[in-house]
Amino acid sequence: MNGLARTTALIEMKSYIQALREKVGSGLLLCPSVAASILDPDGRILLQEKASGEGWSLPAGAIEPGEAPVDAIVREIMEETGYPVSVERILGVFGGEAFRYTYPNGDHVEYVVTLYRCRIVGSQQPITDGETKSLRYFAPADMPPLGLPYPKALLFADQPACVSG
């Protein structure tokens, strides 16, 4: 996608969410999303510290209207980490009440998340959004709590799960 098309797509997505928020206020929105488990050669997972003060999370985000989930995860990882990736496989699909989240501004969402295993395939580029405060790899024993309850064993596992929660 060229720069103008990408900017237009972002404006359309913001307009889409804003239009929904105008109708439901801060009420619950069901949001199709993607997230990534990216492991380094030592088996540590890459996490993103949110600039908003929300803590640590997997690189993740909403699927934009008209966007395929696999394209969404590649885009989100690049925006939030600056890394180009290849998508290896789906680790699981998650949703339900356990995946409800309230943002600091009071907006409520319930995510339906496709979790992918991805691999970094190039050098880091500049991060293109303001969501990331820092990036860091964590071993399973040192991993901070995440905002959503992904099964820790699955994040580090070699084999995928089909569907969960």
Side-chain angles (χ1 to χ4, degrees):
M1 183 179 293
N2 68 34
L4 179 58
R6 175 77 186 116
T7 301
T8 301
L10 286 173
I11 291 169
E12 288 173 3
M13 180 60 178
K14 288 180 182 177
S15 298
Y16 174 74
I17 295 294
Q18 288 170 347
L20 290 175
R21 285 286 169 213
E22 287 172 8
K23 294 183 186 322
V24 299
S26 62
L28 184 65
L29 290 179
L30 187 62
C31 190
S33 304
V34 291
S37 172
I38 302 170
L39 303 179
D40 72 2
D42 295 324
R44 299 175 304 163
I45 193 165
L46 180 65
L47 297 181
Q48 168 197 23
E49 183 180 18
K50 295 288 195 175
S52 62
E54 295 172 72
W56 293 90
S57 74
L58 299 174
I63 300 169
E64 297 176 357
E67 185 176 40
V70 72
D71 294 333
I73 195 58
V74 171
R75 174 185 53 76
E76 285 289 346
I77 293 169
M78 180 57 79
E79 289 174 358
E80 295 180 356
T81 72
Y83 286 112
V85 297
S86 67
V87 177
E88 295 183 344
R89 64 184 176 272
I90 294 174
L91 294 176
V93 178
F94 303 89
E97 286 188 33
F99 280 77
R100 286 188 182 173
Y101 185 80
T102 302
Y103 283 94
N105 69 357
D107 288 349
H108 300 278
V109 295
E110 182 175 312
Y111 293 109
V112 176
V113 184
T114 303
L115 176 63
Y116 290 93
R117 168 78 77 227
C118 297
R119 184 174 45 84
I120 295 172
V121 294
S123 53
Q124 188 176 30
Q125 306 297 311
I127 296 171
T128 59
D129 70 15
E131 294 179 41
T132 303
K133 179 178 178 182
S134 66
L135 299 169
R136 185 172 152 202
Y137 285 97
F138 291 90
D142 300 326
M143 193 172 127
L146 302 177
L148 296 174
Y150 298 101
K152 191 176 194 179
L154 180 62
L155 297 176
F156 294 91
D158 289 330
Q159 297 301 315
C162 288
V163 178
S164 181

